[in-house]
Amino acid sequence: IREAVACLREVVPGAAYEEAPVGGASYDAHGAPLTAATLDLARRADAVLLGAVGGPKWEPLDFSVRPERALLGLREALGLYANLRPAICQPALVSASSLRPEVVSGIDIMVVRELTGGIYFGKPRGVSKIDGERVGVNTLRYSESEIRRVAICAFEIARRRRKSLVSVDKANVLEATELWREVVTEVGRDYADVALSHMYVDNCAMQLVRNPKQFDVIVTTNLFGDILSDEAAMLTGSIGLLPSASLAGLGGRGGLYEPVHGSAPDIAGQGKANPLAAILSAAMLLRYSLNMVSEAGRIEEAVARVLGAGLRTPDIAGEGGAGTTLVGTQEMGERVRKEIKNL
Ligand code: IPM
Ligand code: MG
């Protein structure tokens, strides 16, 4: 995050930055993963850049104060119902994927995940004793307005890309996603220029590794999107490269931007983490919350250039090899900023 903020300062020198603890850091300082003060600051900001929130230290904590609750609390409180997770295979890294280069080269997928509904938030939920045994319950619930607004967002994004949208559901088994399919189809009537198709989630999981290039934009429920976006991420070679945006619709202020990866506690504090996902999240922030499209492009181009020049943090270093240089977090950030200055 430090490297990402430094990149932002480079392209938007006049912006004001404020910091607040969230997740484990907030729990340590205040006994709660998300305080009213942090939430208030997030509400007032034009955009929020979020660092990963957890680690083994906080795993034994009660469910209600785990770092993840902060993430879910922010999403819910800020109404961030549309989660954009692009999976782009950088040309310099085609060989970093576990799939064959010809399968992944050129992939450019945008997963639009519903983020404030579905089984993550549905009630009833919890574990209780029924007839002498423990029973766990979660509820998959979607209203048509929840489906419609995220579908509109996905169609709008598809319209600005290659005009193809795949809606992913389990309509053959789950009624709530049968409704999902119906509502997405209804919304599609307003987007005759976008080719809409539907796919069951199991098939989509398979198609993503079989032939990922068939996908342009994918729109899906909260849980399916959680799973499929990790799968799409891995196609690109490293989850350390993937940014995300969580929005209360397109064109509004106040989005939240975070790398798709977690906190990687195994390498914390060693200066080895790949800052590129955070830096690319900053670029998305400029594009979607501040409408600073050319500044976003400068950051993205700078990232492509440092990768093209062979700079690698350990997660994307692979076997190393000719033309590549192993660098740490700070040097990677500095090199991106140097390229930004040249652009
Ligand atoms: C994600 C994460 C979160 C989620 C966890 C940490 C709560 O996996 O953003 O994809 O499941 O949404
Ligand atoms: Mg996830």
Side-chain angles (χ1 to χ4, degrees), residues 246-262:
S246 303
L247 308 174
L250 285 176
R253 61 181 277 287
L256 181 141
Y257 299 81
E258 57 177 316
V260 169
H261 61 70

Side-chain angles (χ1 to χ4, degrees), residues 167-310:
S167 173
V168 176
D169 59 42
K170 190 73 187 173
N172 50 345
V173 179
L174 305 172
E175 290 88 341
T177 72
E178 199 182 4
L179 178 67
W180 177 280
R181 186 176 285 221
E182 271 173 39
V183 175
V184 173
T185 305
E186 286 162 22
V187 173
R189 299 202 182 107
D190 293 334
Y191 294 87
D193 53 327
V194 176
L196 169 67
S197 57
H198 303 273
M199 211 178 255
Y200 295 138
V201 62
D202 48 351
N203 185 29
C204 183
M206 184 177 74
Q207 295 297 334
L208 271 171
V209 287
R210 195 185 72 89
N211 174 20
K213 279 185 233 177
Q214 69 185 286
F215 295 104
D216 175 15
V217 181
I218 293 173
V219 63
T220 190
T221 65
N222 203 341
L223 180 62
F224 295 165
D226 178 46
I227 300 164
L228 294 176
S229 63
D230 265 31
E231 193 188 359
M234 214 49 226
L235 301 174
T236 70
S238 171
I239 201 164
L241 286 176
L242 294 186
S244 76
S246 303
L247 308 174
L250 285 176
R253 61 181 277 287
L256 181 141
Y257 299 81
E258 57 177 316
V260 169
H261 61 70
S263 55
D266 54 322
I267 57 164
Q270 298 174 31
K272 289 202 255 187
N274 186 345
L276 294 180
I279 290 172
L280 291 169
S281 297
M284 286 190 95
L285 181 157
L286 293 169
R287 173 170 292 117
Y288 288 101
S289 282
L290 305 183
N291 199 22
M292 299 179 77
V293 178
S294 72
E295 288 83 352
R298 267 173 79 197
I299 293 184
E300 287 160 351
E301 175 59 24
V303 167
R305 286 190 186 184
V306 299
L307 290 172

